[in-house]
Amino acid sequence: MAQQKTSTNSSSMLDPTVVVHSSESTKTSDLTGIMPIQPKKLFHLDITREATTPPNGQPHIRVGVVLPKWWTLIAFEPTASMMLTDSQAAVAAYIFSDTLDPSEELVISDEKGYRSTFRCLVPERCVESRISIERYALSDKYTPAKVISDFLGAYISLKISHVARVFIPVCEELHWYLVIVDFTSRHLIILDSLPCVEKHQQRKRNTVKVATYLEAMLDDHIFYDDKSKVVDCSTFWPMTPFGLPTQKNRSNDSGVRVTSWMRECTLQDDFNIQINDSTRMRLAVDLVLEEYNNLCLVIQENAWQYRTKVETEHEDIWE
């Protein structure tokens, strides 16, 4: 099976210009066991038994962490139901600390992500928006050739013959929805977790406009080994899947939901994903611990040092 290939901008969470599914195999990573060496006693294991019993007769065990009292110093306090590992909890505490420098760089890849940036993943906050392809397409201020020139490094290895889907997050007045340009079905799939009757036609027109802009970008020779296949995504049919889940009022979950669709639906069309506080926390931890982050190992070491320091300062909480 083909693997996912993404171009991710950590500074704004949803700022990738394009996210594509490629037939080229790329390396993936397992985030659950990145930090095997753990300091003692900072977190106690919380082991609970499920109400149901699997067919083998053995009760299902869930292991999470019991958070110490000093987690009140953290902007985003996870619950036990998030089932964070001890390692993930340490990194989460470091990311969302209220006492550490908000301008510290936590991610460096193509661009930089700061601790203050990750505050947009605190529950009920809006995911930040910066310049992305839909902003270029809808503003009419930048030509496709200009965008290619500005982001040449991100595009140079992409060949259109390997592309199955392009994911384009669109932000309108702090609300995010996702456009999937599907080259296999020749559809423009519109995923909107907070549909609005009054804005439906406008969003549909914007989708076609973005696809037209993408088509003009993909007309450049750098995207082809052999330019025998014409890209005509502006003619693809806009459609919205039936029965999409909707977000709760005032949850501000649209950006997180769009991110989850981009992460989980590279090929499959099961868009019925569940979003909660755990999704936000895991997104933050994954962004920091992913292999593309040049600071990954540094942040892991800093997180352990932070835990050790806070543990020492709060020894009175241990019985």
Side-chain angles (χ1 to χ4, degrees), residues 160 218-221 223-231:
I160 192 60
L218 295 178
D219 193 49
D220 193 283
H221 72 278
F223 298 112
Y224 297 88
D225 292 320
D226 176 15
K227 196 174 179 181
S228 59
K229 181 180 179 181
V230 177
V231 176

Side-chain angles (χ1 to χ4, degrees), residues 11 19 27 33-34 75 81 133 141 161 195 197 205 209 243 282 291 310:
S11 296
V19 179
K27 183 178 180 181
I34 282 182
S81 63
I133 187 173
K141 292 182 179 180
S161 59
V197 175
R205 286 192 294 269
K209 191 171 183 179
R282 290 188 180 278
E291 59 185 7
V310 175

Side-chain angles (χ1 to χ4, degrees), residues 11 13 53 64 102 112 157 193 197 232 250 262 264 289 300:
S11 296
M13 308 301 172
T53 302
K112 298 178 180 180
S157 63
S193 61
V197 175
D232 58 349
R250 298 184 178 87
M262 293 168 69
E264 299 178 21
L289 293 184
Q300 291 178 65

Side-chain angles (χ1 to χ4, degrees), residues 37-103:
I37 302 175
Q38 301 178 2
K40 298 180 179 179
K41 83 172 184 178
L42 186 58
F43 289 90
H44 298 296
L45 287 180
D46 172 29
I47 302 178
T48 59
R49 297 184 181 273
E50 295 283 312
T52 59
T53 302
N56 62 9
Q58 296 298 321
H60 192 61
I61 303 296
R62 301 177 66 200
V63 180
V65 293
V66 173
L67 303 176
K69 295 178 180 179
W70 63 262
W71 262 93
T72 57
L73 305 175
I74 309 302
F76 183 176
E77 182 174 348
T79 63
S81 63
M82 290 187 184
M83 303 310 299
L84 295 174
T85 67
D86 199 37
S87 302
Q88 291 170 334
V91 173
Y94 190 73
I95 293 172
F96 293 104
S97 171
D98 275 334
T99 61
L100 297 176
D101 183 5
S103 65

Side-chain angles (χ1 to χ4, degrees), residues 12 170 186 246:
S12 60
V170 182
R186 296 180 62 82
T246 57

